[in-house]
Amino acid sequence: MKQKHFIFISVICLVLVSCNNKKLTEVVEVPLPSKEEKMLIGSPEDVKADDGTFKMVALPYSYEALAPNIDALTMELHYSKHYLTYTNNLNKAIAGTELDQLSIEEVLKKLDVSNADLRNNAGGYYNHSLFWENMASKPAAKPKDSLAVAINRDFGSFEGFRTQFEDAASKQFGSGWAWLVTDKAGKLQITSTANQDNPLMSNAVIKGTPILALDVWEHAYYLNYQYKRKKYIDAFFNVINWKKVGERYDEAIKN
Ligand code: MN3
């Protein structure tokens, strides 16, 4: 009986040893992570702001979705660091003030622009929330329906609009944003603002409801495009979610 056990255990050991040896000699083909993948932290769903009135808008696509127009690492840093910080700082700045219960649009219209903390963080929160939503992975190349009609009416053609918008984005000195806005009559205008200001704020030169936003801060493009802002602006036109922008336009002229 004992001998049988010994033989049985020996056979098991032999099998285990041979399996182990096989593993050691096998070559498993696993692609090495790219430099970019090594640096990635995670997925947008894992990013959580601290408790507060304003919540982060969920990124409607993955960090990689807009590449090569906007690279994954830029998207990740932009969403999980910059946007998260604006959201948390807005919630801290607004807590306990009389603006706490208003929508972000109302906050922007009513805030005192001499309050730099609230102005920068409310602007940063709103501008980025809009920016994420007005991009998509494989969007239509041009607007349709009522927005297409309005663009032709107010800029002569889509190309006329694009030239003016790219010009505003290129010429914004330093950090800021380029905008397509609409007034109550539905008239479209292009403008740009410095830092995290936007066309809803009381100090805006051209006021209106933003329907398209482009971040021209260096953090939005420097990793991929370095100082070549114009290349980034051109690439942005490959990822504009015209369907969403059109919906925002229809919503804006209804109100
Ligand atoms: Mn930004």
Side-chain angles (χ1 to χ4, degrees), residues 78 82-83 86 128 131-132 177 196 215-217 219-220:
H78 207 172
H82 294 270
Y83 181 49
Y86 286 122
H128 288 91
F131 184 52
W132 312 135
W177 291 77
Q196 295 296 352
D215 190 340
V216 294
W217 282 58
H219 68 233

Side-chain angles (χ1 to χ4, degrees), residues 37-233:
E37 279 168 331
K38 275 187 210 163
M39 291 174 76
L40 287 180
I41 306 151
S43 70
E45 303 91 71
D46 298 333
V47 184
K48 297 275 179 276
D50 301 336
D51 283 344
T53 308
F54 294 99
K55 311 292 176 208
M56 293 175 83
V57 165
L59 198 67
Y61 37 75
S62 70
Y63 291 138
E64 302 83 19
L66 307 179
N69 297 291
I70 301 181
D71 64 284
L73 186 58
T74 296
M75 284 304 297
E76 172 155 38
L77 293 171
H78 207 172
Y79 184 82
S80 71
K81 305 292 179 205
H82 294 270
Y83 181 49
L84 174 69
T85 305
Y86 286 122
T87 307
N88 284 335
N89 288 346
L90 163 62
N91 283 325
K92 274 186 229 155
I94 210 164
T97 71
E98 73 276 18
L99 301 174
D100 198 16
Q101 298 306 312
L102 301 176
S103 69
I104 187 62
E105 289 84 357
E106 287 302 311
V107 169
L108 291 164
K109 285 174 191 170
K110 289 184 178 158
L111 66 77
D112 176 359
V113 292
S114 68
N115 181 344
D117 189 24
L118 187 56
R119 171 179 171 180
N120 289 331
N121 289 300
Y125 170 77
Y126 173 87
N127 299 352
H128 288 91
S129 300
L130 185 62
F131 184 52
W132 312 135
E133 289 191 335
N134 67 213
M135 295 188 287
S137 179
K138 287 184 175 67
K142 288 180 183 186
K144 284 184 187 167
D145 306 324
S146 52
L147 178 59
V149 172
I151 283 177
N152 287 335
R153 181 196 63 210
D154 297 333
F155 303 106
S157 64
F158 178 75
E159 286 64 36
F161 151 75
R162 180 171 173 155
T163 304
Q164 266 195 55
F165 187 89
E166 293 207 351
D167 203 44
S170 306
K171 287 182 180 162
Q172 170 57 42
F173 184 76
S175 300
W177 291 77
W179 303 94
L180 176 64
V181 303
T182 180
D183 63 22
K184 280 179 184 167
K187 184 175 162 43
L188 295 168
Q189 292 200 68
I190 288 165
T191 185
S192 66
T193 55
N195 302 318
Q196 295 296 352
D197 284 357
N198 69 46
L200 293 169
M201 290 179 180
S202 59
N203 63 333
V205 178
I206 292 179
K207 288 194 183 68
T209 304
I211 62 167
L212 175 66
L214 172 58
D215 190 340
V216 294
W217 282 58
E218 282 188 345
H219 68 233
Y221 63 89
Y222 207 84
L223 287 180
N224 204 18
Y225 296 100
Q226 294 80 48
Y227 58 91
K228 297 164 196 145
R229 189 192 280 188
K230 181 73 172 70
K231 279 198 164 184
Y232 159 70
I233 297 167

